[in-house]
Amino acid sequence: MKHSIFYGILIIICFVLQTTLFISGSIFSAVPNLLLIVTVSAGILHGSRFGMAIGFFSGLALDLYQGRMFGFYALLLLLCGCAAGIFWKVYFEKAVRVPALIVFAADLACGFIIYVVKFFLRGRIRFAGYFTGVMIPEAVCSAVFAIVLYRLILFAEDRFLKEEKRGKRRTWLRD
């Protein structure tokens, strides 16, 4: 229960930051996808089901904000949470490089799907420009922010959710 409340508040904070602050002051013409980082972190730390739930609600917030194709981002982030949850059983949670690489790969995959659905199907076929101008800078920016945000999520879970995590400590490989 506390995890759900914690991640609900985290989704709201990241949504506000992603849609207001980072849009106006983008870094290298790229905006980090904070909701994707939260979704991947939830999937890595708590499994596919929880990652899918967090991804669905994160995507739903983006769908409500943009309002063009309702359900598109909810489905996209739901799938990212499911894919990130694969690493739950074999991943040591204190290592930070793996979540950054997963966020990088997930951001590239999301960027490709967004390109196909929003541009390619409409006849805009300049993939090389979109890849080098949008996908790569956003994926790199998201991976860098993933290092910081993942550590903050780990710190908050260790600090505030100790009693729920007792007995659920994971080792390198799980049964």
Side-chain angles (χ1 to χ4, degrees):
M1 183 65 179
K2 287 183 181 180
H3 282 291
S4 302
I5 294 170
F6 170 72
Y7 277 98
I9 293 170
L10 190 61
I11 287 172
I12 292 169
I13 291 170
C14 288
F15 173 75
V16 169
L17 286 175
Q18 182 173 333
T19 57
T20 57
L21 182 67
F22 287 131
I23 294 277
S24 62
S26 61
I27 304 162
F28 303 117
S29 73
V31 177
N33 196 342
L34 298 178
L35 293 174
L36 178 69
I37 296 169
V38 170
T39 300
V40 168
S41 298
I44 288 172
L45 291 173
H46 302 290
S48 290
R49 287 186 184 176
F50 194 74
M52 288 170 59
I54 297 300
F56 176 76
F57 288 113
S58 297
L60 195 61
L62 284 176
D63 284 331
L64 291 173
Y65 174 70
Q66 293 184 346
R68 292 187 193 114
M69 294 180 0
F70 191 74
F72 176 70
Y73 287 105
L75 178 64
L76 193 61
L77 289 178
L78 180 134
L79 293 174
C80 288
C82 180
I86 294 170
F87 297 95
W88 177 57
K89 290 186 178 183
V90 293
Y91 174 68
F92 184 65
E93 64 189 26
K94 298 294 182 187
V96 182
R97 287 174 278 164
V98 174
L101 290 173
I102 295 171
V103 166
F104 182 80
D107 206 334
L108 283 179
C110 288
F112 181 74
I113 293 170
I114 290 169
Y115 167 76
V116 168
V117 171
K118 290 190 172 184
F119 298 110
F120 185 75
L121 295 177
R122 293 183 181 173
R124 299 179 191 165
I125 313 174
R126 297 186 181 195
F127 179 71
Y130 184 77
F131 183 74
T132 59
V134 176
M135 287 173 58
I136 293 293
E138 183 179 323
V140 169
C141 189
S142 294
V144 169
F145 272 83
I147 294 170
V148 175
L149 189 57
Y150 183 77
R151 285 191 181 188
L152 287 173
I153 291 170
L154 274 179
F155 175 76
E157 284 195 0
D158 285 343
R159 181 94 171 153
F160 301 115
L161 305 172
K162 285 181 184 176
E163 57 274 355
E164 278 191 33
K165 288 190 92 172
R166 270 188 218 150
K168 293 184 181 179
R169 287 280 179 206
R170 293 181 282 148
T171 58
W172 179 255
L173 291 174
R174 178 173 255 171
D175 297 329

